[in-house]
Each structure stands twice: as structure tokens, then as C-alpha cells.
Amino acid sequence: MILRYSPFLLSFALLALGSACADRSFKGGVHANVLKKSVPAAAAAKASNQSGDASPETAAEPLENEVATTLSEVAKVISKVPSALEGTFKTSLVSSEEFNFSLDIKSGSAPIKIADIIASKTVTHTQNTRPQVTDTFKQGSAGLNKTESFLTTKQGVVDILVVIDNSGSMDAEQVNLAAKMDSLLTSIKDTNWQIGVITTTLALKTTTVNNVTTTSDACYLALIKSTDSDAKAKFEKAINAGITGSGTERGIRQAVNGLRCTENPWIRQDSTVAVLIVSDEDNCSSETAGECKTDEPGYREAYLEGYVESNLGRIIGKNAGFYGIFSPPASPCATALHPASQYQRLVDYKANGAKNYGNICDADFSPTLSLISKNIALLVSTQYSLAQTPDAGSLKLMIDNIPVPTENYMLAGQTITFVSGKAPALNKSLVATYSIGSSPVINKVSLQFAPAIETLTIKVNDALLPGDQYQLNGQDITFVKQPSALAAIVADYRVTTPALKDGFLLDEIPLDKTLKVTVNGKSSPFTMGSTGKEVMISPAAPDGASIVMTYSYRVGRQTAYSAAVDSSAVNIKLTDGAKIVPFTVAKDVYTIPSAEAYALGSILTFTYDVPDGSPRTFTLPHTPDAGSIVDSVARPGCGLGDGIAINGDTLTATCSLTARSDVKLSYTYTENLRSFSLEVPAPDKGKWEMTLDGAPVLDFTRVGSVMTLPASVQPKLDSLVHIRYTFPE
């Protein structure tokens, strides 16, 4: 909709707070000022919509304000750009108006009062929102104290894997080995040992996930521990594995399966690892006529060597070794089908010249097992295995009540390993004391960020901690009283950036006592800066608060006026005392270009002549509502309906005048409005919203800063239109 502006109407930024009406009077009559002091609730919307389609320039006296202001300096954090501008308008306005004049015989006069154009503005700022942070801490505790005692005759942690051939030719060999556990443990019987037994026959398992079935190696392992009361019986049973196994002996592959054994993990952290393979054939039966595929795992001995070094993290020749009873290539066994070239290379790998094997044809394996036991013992560190893993730094050792220097031993998990040359003598009392479940006890915590002090709250076990129970220094909080063991400490706060805005820059200087400030809908005290445009709020509004400022301001001097001049008047003059003042007139509107030169409230007077005895005709500022006209002065022969008639906005007086007659009329008038102006600096860049009686209006039209209700919307007599313009980010 294109707005039509009357010549004396101008469009202003926001809701105006005054009404532009004229002083109307005649020479010798009573001066009646129709430029009335504005009423905030009703006149504000009225003034911004004169003629029904625009917001005009208006004249008004300053409004009273509920919140007093004082002068102060500009605050540190000034917001120059509001979040939004808003205006509320009535769609139908019923207003009262007076029309006072005096009738004389041949002339008339009409004084006018020089007035200012006053507009009002509502600006909305949104307070910065500083990020909310929650830091949580857990108070430590002393944990549980543990004490373990050892006799220093028991040393080291040893894990031995025996890979036994269970093919059809191994019956006698299994019997030979089964009764020889003591021989295998001759030199390491006092260690914390365990023996795992697996056969050379490959076992497979299937796994189905999401209807996809895969096949992988299985681990069927018998485990014998030094703490077992029936260890010998278990060993004998495991070694007598039967002779129904595969004739393709996969000793290397099965050794890895036994060490890995995901079904029953048993290799301990930092233990000495020994692998003993007992078979009458080589890996895959023969190196030259092997029955394994060349691309399958364990085809060569490097598969086992790599697993021990890379996966188990052992150093072969230092804390791991390979051993065997097989048919040596240099002196092959007559009853063995193939010499064991791969196994020979395996046991010689990093053996440093030691003999780590025996002949499968020997009638008694005891000497070979005793030799292997001696060689394993050379790799065993002086180690003791604790029942639980100590807290870091809590382990203390005593030998015969004498403290052991910490540089004499190392702790890895649950295993104590003495440094070479620092091992305790045999048959001594070794006592280990340590704690488990302990954590550092704290009296100070450090926050992630420096907190805004007024937002900081600290809770200990969900109880709010008073401010005098802690001290804040930067990001560090020091407790006056140390929180109890295992207490949950929670610090909630907002960070210091972005800083809260406590100063706001207005576009205009508000008229005295017109500025109102609300924070989240509640009236807020404020002070004004030295330039008159800065608004300071202290303390600053809370995070994310809606800060609304409504005020009136002077737009400029009013130049267009209505005057009570007879339509038949001639020789119309405007005077300031004896001085003639230039003016122009169009459609009963008188424009005074030099109005700015006169002080506010100055009185200028129109004078004119009228033909003697002719009817007097005047144009009222508005058309009165039917039945609302009241004539407050009794004048026989010159009253309403008796010499004075009103038709629409035209008043005609046909009274017979012999002397001056005063007329004082009052009435109400109604304006119906559909277009509303909210002046903003960049109307096409921001976001516009319109509501009618609180309900969103989506199909409004807009030209520049003027918004118009759609034809489909018919507001009620007392409807309210609210317009909001949100500035672009």
C-alpha cells in the first residue's frame, strides 16, 4: 500500500506522543488552546496515525516519568546497537476535542502556540549471555592399606607353555613326559610358576555376527598353577593328551594360540615366558615336505618369535626363551619320521650358545627337562607377585624390618622385580605394605576458566558452600576446611566474557523524565551519561535479559498548524506583535517556514476580515461522533441547533450578531487505522513481525517502514497492533 501524506504531516521513527491540533479563536473572543498535553496510553497511538495512514509530526509537552534519573559518567561497556525496535498502535481511536471561538461583526482572529514535534521510541537490547560452566572434582581418600609377606626363597614369576604332539606316534613320548613335572621345575620350583598345556592339533571355532559366520583358531588349554594341591595329577593328565590328533603337527601355530588364548588369558604381566615344544616331527611334519600351506599362520618359526617379541613385549634371551624335545637334524632319532629343522632354529634363536633341547628318542626325558629348567632359571628375575595392584607411590618394602631403597626394585602392575645385584638373600622375611583405591587429597581446585564472581556457586556433596568457606584467586579455589574424603565438589559459574553490557547508547536525547527502562519486564533504576544519550544500569542486567527503553524525544519544531479562520476570510495576516510573519496555506493547513526562529510556546496571531452579515463557515479538525457534541455556553439565538449547525467536519454560524458571542464546543471523534509506521534505519535488512491482539499477522504488506494490515483482517474497535523490527546480526 502506498501511503498518502497530508501536506502538514510527516512520518517519524516511532509512536508519537502528542496530537497536532490548532488554537482557534476570533477577535474579541475567548482564547481556546486545542494543543493539549498528551496522555501516554491513548494519545500516543493516536498521534502516530493522523489521517489513518501515516505517523505525523506532533506537538506535545514532555511526559512524566516513573523513574528519576541522575547524571553520571559513561559506563565501560556501551551497547550502541539495540536488538530491536517496537511500537504498539490502536486500530480505532476515540478521542475528545474542543473547538472554541468568538463571533464578531466584520473581523476575526485566531492565535496559535508554537510547538515542538515530539516522537517516542521503544528500543530493545538483549544482554550478553556468558557461557555457563560446570566443573566437577572428586576429593581423594587414603584408600585401604594392605600388607603381604614373602619368604625370599620364593622368587620370580614364570609362565611355561608346553606344546605336546598328540599324533598317532606319540603314545610312549607322552608317558615319558607326563611323570616328569618335577624335573621341569627343578631350578624354578620356588618361583610363582604356572604351566599351560596345548596340543599340536589345530582346533577351530565359528562366530556369527549379523548373520555373518567367521572361522578362527580356538584355544583348548589346560592350566596348572603352583598353588594347585594336585598340580602333578593335572600335569600328567594334560600331557597324556591322546594319540588321535592330526598327523600334520602345527607346533608353531598352536604355540601362538596357547600364548594368546583369548578364551582363557593366562600370561601374566612381566612374567618370564618359556615355550617347550615336544614332538617326534617338525613343524608342519617336515620343512621340505611340509603339509601346511605356505601362506597360513605358523608356517615358519618366525611367526612365534614375532608374537613373543611384538605382542607379549618380551626380550628373547632375557625374559623369554624357546625349548624343545624333538629329533635334532644333527643326530636324528631313528623312530622319528622327519628331523625338526624349524624347531632347531627356534630353540637356538637368541640362546647365546646355550643348549635348550633334547632328543625325542631319549628313554628318560629327566636330564633334558632339568637342563631346560636350569636355563629358564637364568632368565627369571627376582620377582614377587602381589595380590593387588598398589596405588602409585604407595609401595614400601621391608627385609627383616629394614627398609628397602626404592632404587633396588621396580613395580609393574602387581609384580615386584628386584634390580640385578640387589635381590634379597634367601630365607629372609620380605614384607610389602601398600594402599589400594587411594587418590590425592585436595585442598585447592583449579577451574577451567576465570569465573564471574557474582555467578560462582560451590557445592560439596550437594550442599551449598558459604562464600566465607573458600577463597578465590583467579581460577584457583582454596577451601578453608578440607572437604571430606571422596566428597563430590561441583563449581557452577559463568565465564567473564563476553562482558555484561551496563551502558546503552540512544540515538536521541530523551526529553526530561520521559525515559523508562525495564529489565525482564520490571522497572529498573538507571543513570544518564554526560552527553545525555548514554543510559547506565548498575548492577548490570542479568545474562540474556531483555532490556527495554521507551522514551520521548524532540524531532524538531512544528511548522504546520490548523487555525480557526473563517472560510470566507480575506486579508489574512499572521503577526508576531507588529511584525508580519510569512506563511502558506493549503486545505486549511497553515505552514510557517520560520517557526524554528520562535521560542517554544510563543503566541502568533492570525487576523482577517469577513463580509458584514455573511454566514461564518469553519472546518473542524475532525468529524464529531454522532450525538457527542456539547455546547457549554448558553447563548440565546446563537446556540447549537439555533444559529450554529455542524455537518460532517463543517461548522456554519448564521447568528445575527450585534456584539461578540463566545462559542465553546466539545465532542469526540473516531479514527480507524490500518497502516502503521515504525521508522528504522535499514527496513529491508532486518526482520519484521506484526501481531493483532497478540495473534501473529503473517500476510501483512510493507513498503519501507510502513506496515499495513491485510484486507482479510478486520480489527475490532479496541484492537491493538504490535510491530517489532529485529536488527540484522
Side-chain angles (χ1 to χ4, degrees):
M1 176 179 177
I2 304 299
L3 294 185
R4 300 180 304 280
Y5 295 87
S6 299
F8 68 103
L9 301 182
L10 297 176
S11 176
F12 292 107
L14 295 171
L15 191 63
L17 295 178
S19 173
C21 302
D23 295 338
R24 295 175 179 264
S25 62
F26 289 89
K27 183 178 180 180
V30 177
H31 182 90
N33 182 11
V34 191
L35 285 168
K36 301 176 292 300
K37 183 174 180 179
S38 301
V39 180
K46 163 189 169 183
S48 50
N49 293 284
Q50 299 289 326
S51 81
D53 61 1
S55 55
E57 61 182 26
T58 57
E61 297 178 26
L63 299 178
E64 296 296 327
N65 186 11
E66 297 175 356
V67 182
T69 62
T70 60
L71 189 66
S72 71
E73 293 305 313
V74 180
K76 294 181 180 179
V77 184
I78 297 290
S79 176
K80 297 184 178 180
V81 180
S83 305
L85 295 176
E86 300 179 65
T88 301
F89 311 87
K90 288 186 176 181
T91 58
S92 296
L93 299 178
V94 178
S95 305
S96 61
E97 194 164 58
E98 293 182 353
F99 192 70
N100 305 333
F101 59 93
S102 297
L103 297 176
D104 211 338
I105 298 174
K106 293 184 179 182
S107 62
S109 65
I112 62 169
K113 182 187 290 186
I114 296 298
D116 275 344
I117 301 166
I118 305 300
S120 72
K121 180 178 284 190
T122 298
V123 295
T124 301
H125 292 263
T126 300
Q127 180 61 282
N128 289 335
T129 299
R130 299 166 294 182
Q132 181 78 41
V133 179
T134 299
D135 289 342
T136 59
F137 308 90
K138 190 75 172 179
Q139 176 61 293
S141 71
L144 298 176
N145 293 324
K146 295 286 184 178
T147 300
E148 295 187 46
S149 299
F150 306 88
L151 187 64
T152 58
T153 55
K154 186 173 183 178
Q155 306 175 42
V157 179
V158 182
D159 294 328
I160 303 171
L161 175 67
V162 178
V163 184
I164 184 69
D165 185 347
N166 65 337
S167 64
S169 58
M170 282 292 294
D171 185 41
E173 289 81 355
Q174 290 180 9
V175 172
N176 190 352
L177 178 62
K180 305 297 191 301
M181 186 184 80
D182 286 345
S183 298
L184 178 61
L185 299 175
T186 299
S187 299
I188 56 174
K189 60 180 182 299
D190 290 328
T191 66
N192 182 357
W193 57 264
Q194 57 183 11
I195 301 172
V197 180
I198 195 171
T199 72
T200 57
T201 299
L202 182 66
L204 300 176
K205 61 182 178 180
T206 58
T207 304
T208 302
V209 178
N210 296 328
N211 296 322
V212 177
T213 300
T214 56
T215 301
S216 58
D217 292 2
C219 171
Y220 297 107
L221 180 101
L223 186 61
I224 304 98
K225 297 183 178 181
S226 59
T227 55
D228 292 338
S229 60
D230 57 347
K232 288 184 178 181
K234 285 184 176 181
F235 181 82
E236 185 173 350
K237 180 179 178 181
I239 296 299
N240 286 315
I243 54 174
T244 60
S246 173
T248 302
E249 296 87 345
R250 289 178 168 84
I252 300 297
R253 183 169 176 175
Q254 280 295 88
V256 171
N257 287 336
L259 294 173
R260 180 165 49 213
C261 205
T262 56
E263 294 88 343
N264 182 26
W266 64 286
I267 299 297
R268 292 167 291 183
Q269 185 179 10
D270 295 325
S271 65
T272 297
V273 174
V275 178
L276 170 62
I277 300 177
V278 181
S279 177
D280 63 354
E281 293 198 64
D282 201 0
N283 182 52
C284 295
S285 296
S286 169
E287 181 175 32
T288 57
E291 299 175 9
C292 300
K293 296 180 179 179
T294 57
D295 59 350
E296 73 170 71
Y299 177 70
R300 288 290 183 263
E301 69 275 7
Y303 180 63
L304 174 57
E305 296 164 356
Y307 183 83
V308 171
E309 291 178 324
S310 300
N311 295 75
L312 296 184
R314 300 304 197 271
I315 300 174
I316 297 172
K318 182 176 181 181
N319 56 6
F322 301 119
Y323 310 90
I325 300 176
F326 48 79
S327 176
S331 54
C333 173
T335 60
L337 185 59
H338 298 291
S341 301
Q342 289 191 65
Y343 293 151
Q344 185 69 64
R345 290 197 300 270
L346 178 68
V347 298
D348 291 341
Y349 181 67
K350 296 185 178 180
N352 299 318
K355 182 179 180 181
N356 287 335
Y357 65 94
N359 198 308
I360 193 69
C361 286
D362 290 345
D364 184 1
F365 292 156
S366 294
T368 296
L369 293 173
S370 295
L371 175 64
I372 291 173
S373 181
K374 180 180 178 180
N375 290 344
I376 293 174
L378 295 175
L379 303 180
V380 176
S381 299
T382 303
Q383 295 176 310
Y384 299 89
S385 182
L386 301 172
Q388 293 177 289
T389 301
D391 295 327
S394 70
L395 177 65
K396 305 295 181 184
L397 296 182
M398 302 276 286
I399 296 179
D400 288 345
N401 296 320
I402 299 174
V404 178
T406 55
E407 61 268 21
N408 287 8
Y409 61 91
M410 296 177 292
L411 175 67
Q414 297 172 225
T415 302
I416 300 169
T417 302
F418 280 89
V419 175
S420 178
K422 300 294 183 179
L426 297 181
N427 298 315
K428 298 291 183 178
S429 174
L430 173 64
V431 177
T433 59
Y434 58 94
S435 65
I436 60 171
S438 69
S439 55
V441 177
I442 55 176
N443 195 46
K444 182 172 75 173
V445 296
S446 294
L447 304 177
Q448 296 182 69
F449 308 97
I453 298 176
E454 75 280 4
T455 68
L456 177 63
T457 61
I458 298 176
K459 291 183 178 180
V460 177
N461 288 335
D462 293 327
L464 186 65
L465 193 66
D468 60 358
Q469 293 301 301
Y470 63 88
Q471 296 176 343
L472 176 66
N473 182 17
Q475 295 173 222
D476 295 332
I477 295 173
T478 302
F479 298 98
V480 173
K481 181 180 179 182
Q482 183 173 283
S484 59
L486 302 178
I489 304 168
V490 179
D492 283 308
Y493 60 93
R494 292 186 183 274
V495 300
T496 56
T497 55
L500 292 182
K501 297 178 287 189
D502 54 5
F504 305 87
L505 186 65
L506 303 177
D507 291 333
E508 304 85 12
I509 298 176
L511 294 177
D512 187 33
K513 297 183 179 180
T514 67
L515 178 61
K516 295 181 180 180
V517 178
T518 63
V519 175
N520 289 335
K522 295 183 179 181
S523 181
S524 172
F526 59 89
T527 57
M528 298 299 295
S530 57
T531 68
K533 292 184 178 182
E534 301 90 356
V535 181
M536 272 67 68
I537 300 175
S538 181
D543 293 79
S546 175
I547 305 165
V548 179
M549 302 180 184
T550 301
Y551 61 96
S552 298
Y553 62 95
R554 180 181 183 273
V555 176
R557 184 57 46 78
Q558 180 180 339
T559 60
Y561 298 84
S562 292
V565 177
D566 192 323
S567 60
S568 62
V570 295
N571 299 324
I572 302 173
K573 297 178 182 179
L574 178 63
T575 60
D576 175 21
K579 180 181 177 182
I580 299 297
V581 179
F583 69 91
T584 60
V585 61
K587 296 182 179 181
D588 298 319
V589 176
Y590 296 83
T591 300
I592 307 172
S594 60
E596 188 69 46
Y598 295 93
L600 183 66
S602 298
I603 302 297
L604 305 181
T605 304
F606 282 102
T607 60
Y608 56 89
D609 297 327
V610 293
D612 185 18
S614 62
R616 307 297 175 86
T617 303
F618 307 93
T619 301
L620 301 176
H622 301 92
T623 300
D625 294 331
S628 69
I629 304 173
V630 176
D631 187 351
S632 61
V633 178
R635 297 174 306 281
C638 194
L640 191 62
D642 182 16
I644 296 178
I646 296 178
N647 183 16
D649 64 352
T650 301
L651 183 150
T652 303
T654 58
C655 306
S656 297
L657 298 175
T658 57
R660 189 182 71 180
S661 181
D662 295 332
V663 179
K664 293 184 178 181
L665 303 180
S666 62
Y667 54 88
T668 63
Y669 63 93
T670 301
E671 296 175 285
N672 296 316
L673 311 172
R674 299 190 65 83
S675 295
F676 312 91
S677 176
L678 185 66
E679 191 75 14
V680 298
D684 295 329
K685 293 184 178 180
K687 177 184 178 182
W688 290 88
E689 298 171 272
M690 173 185 276
T691 63
L692 177 64
D693 295 331
V697 178
L698 303 179
D699 51 348
F700 59 81
T701 57
R702 180 180 62 82
V703 177
S705 295
V706 179
M707 299 182 70
T708 302
L709 289 169
S712 59
V713 174
Q714 298 300 322
K716 296 181 293 185
L717 183 65
D718 57 350
S719 291
L720 289 177
V721 169
H722 187 80
I723 296 174
R724 178 182 175 90
Y725 172 84
T726 303
F727 283 83
E729 295 183 358

